[in-house]
Amino acid sequence: MSLLEHIHGPRDLDRLTQAQLGRLAAEIRAFLVAEVSKTGGHLGPNLGVVELTMAVHRVFDSPTDAIVFDTGHQSYVHKLLTGRQDFSHLREKGGLAGYPQRSESVHDIVESSHASSSLSWADGISRAFQMTGQDDRHVVVVVGDGALTGGMTWEALNNISDDNSRKLVIIVNDNGRSYAPTIGGMARFLSDVRTRRSYRSLYDKSRAFFGMFGGPGRALYRGLRGGLHGFLSRFSNNEALYSNLDIKYIGPVHGHDERAVEAALTQAKNYGAPVIVHVITQKGKGFEPAVLDTADQFHAVGHIDPETGEPIGGTDRPSWTSVFSEEIVTLADADPTIVGITAAMLIPTGLDRFAAKYPARVFDVGIAEQHAVTSAAGLAFGGLHPVVALYATFINRAFDQVLMDVALHRAGVTFVLDRAGVTGPDGPSHHGMWDLAILQVVPRIRLSAPRDATRLREELGEAVAVQDGPTVVRFSKGNVGAEIEAIRRTDDRVDVLFESDGQDVLIVTVGPMAELGLQVAERLTAQGIGATVVDPRWVVPVPDSIIDLASQHRLVITIEDGIRVGGIGTRIRQELRAAGVDTALTELGLPDEFIDHALRSEIMEQVGLTPQHIARDVVAQVLGSRIPIARPLDESADQRA
């Protein structure tokens, strides 16, 4: 009989024996491999926190005790233990989210999955509990070692240590990795703790000593090992990092020894003040393909074979990331001043090929986007051209640095924003939908959005040639679509993709929205409405030819995969007014709201960014406003659009 199917909440763990807990851990790993291989998701991180999560829920009482994950991609086991065991639609519309989500369960606290924020949350929650007399409540943070590379973590620790009376337990889940191996001084410190001979040799010798007495000796060792870890930690001088912060340190603890973790957490809970518990885990634990994958240990997977770990399905078309990855190496071959910077995402952003060929020219700064951007400004001052590769959602974290350190100083820095627009399964914290609105307010910035692989290569080359200010190249998640050739290019390098008889509607598309714009134009043309489709390529500043074309049409439609509020459409509207052009304009894009996880196609349907929906609205607008058109319009056209 499966133990997992009888776990409906954390307190169901209390009745299990140590032997049953071991069986449950094995069942959870088997469940994760079987289910995540069907839907995709963060497999490696969750295989690594099985015993750790079980121990957390046995020692603490969620939701009375608040549990915060940093980042939330390591919360699948938490979901299983809090009664959410239907993973059949994980990260799909209507199914479980890939991160904690308050609407799913009272056990979920923090939904945002931008790293390094958990200790600030914990500081605030624990202060609130203290100030409102909720003295029976603890705050527990499970923070990945990679998140410790973010400056916000250390800002929070500084304040947590200022008040030593709160019930706060910080669990450092140390697997030596974020996506790929964690880098920097913090990583070296934790590695030293993991391998320090004074700790490891005593621990191993103790285990060997008790093992000499056979089964009874091993049983005695298992009963003592929690205390043994605590005893040995006193001699490992690991408190050095935290001594000046006045935060108690426990560890390191074997993260796959549930009893040892439970003993350490119980000790921390009883302390009644902020405590750091250092737990050593293995990412991908129990799934050989993940363990053997030294690159990212199956951090995030698509559909895979649960036996071999090999991808299933897919397409022959290259990904946007891979096109960038190849082109940046080509550009770096020709220009030795080009250097790369990323924030703990060397592989996901495609800088790994650049790093493999030119290791001295690529810098992974850890989960520290603010530092990455200002460091880039310094590199530019020194005569280099930095290419900062981030996910679009994470540029939000470094806006001040883009504005004040790069743009104000006219630094030649190129930002390459992967996963721009609607990303789909990862949900609201990972949609790259704010970058266009946020960044276009930066003076002298240049923003480009390639529509296909050829334009990505072209615009990236143009971007790194700019030396007097920031440039941005943004592109989508997933595979590149078909090549879309222009029928002509204007003098200021705007691509005209489609022209029909008559100049009724000008459709201005941003990046991959070009395909959608062409589909809309075909529908309008079929209904007797003349349409022109253009791709500005560089959407900010607005090219003069866009203003000229707008003045020649009766209606302008802008289509972008960023939010409408303050988006590219708004910028074009302002430029039209400044130029005295009174052509009507409609901005189409994403609503200013947080969009749940679903397939990209489902989200586009939900927000009305489909050919049928847009064409119907345009026809209705033309009919409703009686905008004159080049050819007579069938009054029933809006029904057929």
Side-chain angles (χ1 to χ4, degrees):
M1 198 70 174
S2 168
L3 290 170
L4 179 58
E5 66 186 28
H6 293 291
I7 303 297
H8 305 294
R11 299 285 57 83
D12 290 335
L13 295 171
D14 297 345
R15 57 183 170 76
L16 300 183
T17 65
Q18 283 297 313
Q20 288 175 318
L21 289 171
R23 281 178 48 201
L24 178 61
E27 288 183 15
I28 289 174
R29 286 195 168 90
F31 177 94
L32 290 174
V33 171
E35 296 298 318
V36 178
S37 66
K38 300 173 187 174
T39 62
H42 290 93
L43 180 59
N46 287 284
L47 292 173
V49 296
V50 175
E51 292 85 0
L52 170 57
T53 309
M54 290 165 56
V56 166
H57 278 297
R58 276 173 58 91
V59 173
F60 296 95
D61 184 20
S62 176
T64 299
D65 296 324
I67 301 174
V68 178
F69 290 90
D70 187 355
T71 66
H73 63 234
Q74 58 185 331
S75 64
Y76 292 8
V77 183
H78 164 77
K79 288 176 185 267
L80 288 173
L81 299 181
T82 53
R84 289 167 281 176
Q85 297 183 10
D86 182 2
F87 274 46
S88 59
H89 295 286
L90 176 70
R91 302 167 73 247
E92 297 174 0
K93 186 176 182 179
L96 291 179
Y99 299 94
Q101 188 166 308
R102 289 182 178 181
S103 61
E104 281 184 10
S105 174
V106 294
H107 296 281
D108 290 0
I109 307 296
V110 177
E111 297 187 14
S112 172
S113 285
H114 287 188
S116 309
S117 65
S118 60
L119 298 191
S120 296
W121 272 96
D123 179 53
I125 295 170
S126 61
R127 285 185 191 275
F129 286 172
Q130 184 184 55
M131 294 175 68
T132 55
Q134 302 180 70
D135 297 325
D136 61 329
R137 304 184 72 178
H138 289 76
V139 180
V140 183
V141 177
V142 180
V143 56
D145 64 301
L148 295 182
T149 62
M152 195 173 174
T153 296
W154 298 95
E155 295 172 21
L157 278 172
N158 180 59
N159 282 274
I160 288 169
S161 64
D162 188 52
D163 179 0
N164 209 23
S165 61
R166 288 173 284 158
K167 296 179 178 179
L168 171 57
V169 177
I170 302 166
I171 303 169
V172 177
N173 173 28
D174 176 13
N175 58 22
R177 313 180 73 85
S178 47
Y179 276 76
T182 307
I183 57 88
M186 170 55 62
R188 288 193 296 273
F189 169 81
L190 293 178
S191 177
D192 178 58
V193 171
R194 287 194 298 272
T195 58
R196 187 171 293 146
R197 183 172 300 176
S198 60
Y199 169 78
R200 293 305 315 170
S201 61
L202 282 173
Y203 176 74
D204 293 338
K205 287 177 181 177
S206 300
R207 179 171 55 186
F209 173 77
F210 284 102
M212 291 171 59
F213 298 97
R218 288 191 293 272
L220 178 60
Y221 167 74
R222 286 194 296 270
L224 294 174
R225 61 187 167 187
L228 182 65
H229 276 280
F231 173 77
L232 293 176
S233 69
R234 297 180 187 179
F235 294 93
S236 60
N237 297 318
N238 300 331
E239 292 91 345
L241 182 65
Y242 308 103
S243 59
N244 290 333
L245 292 174
D246 195 25
I247 299 178
K248 184 176 178 62
Y249 174 96
I250 298 174
V253 181
H254 189 329
H256 302 299
D257 183 335
E258 194 281 335
R259 181 178 290 183
V261 178
E262 197 172 321
L265 294 181
T266 300
Q267 181 183 356
K269 179 180 180 180
N270 293 335
Y271 185 63
V275 181
I276 291 175
V277 181
H278 181 187
V279 179
I280 310 295
T281 63
Q282 181 186 45
K283 193 173 183 178
K285 170 78 172 175
F287 186 45
E288 186 176 13
V291 173
L292 295 177
D293 178 18
T294 57
D296 71 355
Q297 294 187 298
F298 283 47
H299 178 83
V301 300
H303 294 249
I304 61 171
D305 184 314
E307 297 295 329
T308 67
E310 292 296 320
I312 296 175
T315 175
D316 293 334
R317 299 205 63 85
S319 68
W320 288 97
T321 307
S322 67
V323 174
F324 161 71
S325 185
E326 293 174 356
E327 188 62 21
I328 191 62
V329 173
T330 300
L331 292 169
D333 288 341
D335 184 354
T337 69
I338 292 176
V339 295
I341 304 178
T342 191
M345 290 194 172
L346 190 71
I347 296 171
T349 61
L351 279 181
D352 52 321
R353 291 184 185 177
F354 188 3
K357 189 168 186 179
Y358 299 109
R361 292 168 59 185
V362 177
F363 311 102
D364 184 344
V365 301
I367 304 177
E369 291 84 1
Q370 296 179 10
H371 167 64
V373 173
T374 300
S375 176
L379 287 165
F381 176 77
L384 301 173
H385 190 102
V387 175
V388 182
L390 305 170
Y391 283 6
T393 184
F394 297 136
I395 196 65
N396 307 353
R397 313 189 79 180
F399 173 75
D400 182 68
Q401 287 70 29
V402 174
L403 180 68
M404 292 297 172
D405 295 323
V406 175
L408 178 63
H409 295 87
R410 296 178 178 266
V413 176
T414 295
F415 297 95
V416 173
L417 304 184
D418 203 325
R419 273 73 163 175
V422 173
T423 58
D426 282 330
S429 67
H430 276 56
H431 292 310
M433 54 188 281
W434 292 280
D435 58 303
L436 290 173
I438 288 174
L439 293 177
Q440 70 162 305
V441 305
V442 175
R444 296 187 291 272
I445 200 167
R446 300 167 175 87
L447 304 178
S448 73
R451 65 181 181 269
D452 56 28
T454 297
R455 260 44 66 171
L456 171 52
R457 296 186 182 96
E458 187 177 71
E459 291 162 34
L460 181 62
E462 294 170 3
V464 298
V466 174
Q467 302 299 339
D468 62 350
T471 54
V472 177
V473 180
R474 74 186 302 265
F475 48 79
S476 302
K477 178 181 180 180
N479 299 103
V480 182
E483 294 286 299
I484 302 175
E485 296 299 332
I487 58 176
R488 64 184 176 90
R489 177 168 285 185
T490 66
D491 291 341
D492 56 358
R493 302 181 66 78
V494 169
D495 282 348
V496 179
L497 308 180
F498 180 91
E499 286 179 306
S500 62
D501 293 338
Q503 294 179 309
D504 299 317
V505 180
L506 174 66
I507 302 173
V508 182
T509 63
V510 175
M513 296 294 98
E515 182 178 359
L516 176 58
L518 290 171
Q519 293 170 342
V520 171
E522 291 172 359
R523 287 173 175 267
L524 295 179
T525 302
Q527 302 305 321
I529 299 176
T532 302
V533 181
V534 297
D535 170 16
R537 297 175 61 258
W538 289 86
V539 294
V540 173
V542 177
D544 290 340
S545 61
I546 295 293
I547 307 302
D548 293 339
L549 286 166
S551 69
Q552 300 165 21
H553 288 73
R554 296 162 176 82
L555 175 65
V556 177
I557 303 293
T558 61
I559 308 176
E560 58 193 296
D561 55 352
I563 59 170
R564 291 190 299 266
V565 178
I568 300 305
T570 302
R571 180 66 169 259
I572 293 175
R573 178 190 293 276
Q574 292 170 341
E575 296 295 334
L576 290 178
R577 296 300 169 262
V581 177
D582 61 358
T583 306
L585 186 146
T586 298
E587 306 110 310
L588 300 178
L590 302 175
D592 56 332
E593 58 190 49
F594 294 107
I595 300 175
D596 276 342
H597 59 282
L599 293 176
R600 187 177 189 277
S601 59
E602 292 172 331
I603 292 173
M604 299 297 272
E605 175 75 33
Q606 172 188 322
V607 301
L609 292 180
T610 64
Q612 182 178 20
H613 191 279
I614 295 172
R616 182 177 296 154
D617 283 354
V618 171
V619 171
Q621 185 175 354
V622 170
L623 287 174
S625 62
R626 298 301 174 187
I627 295 174
I629 61 173
R631 289 182 288 168
L633 176 67
D634 184 343
E635 291 290 327
S636 64
D638 62 326
Q639 300 299 316
R640 302 198 304 268

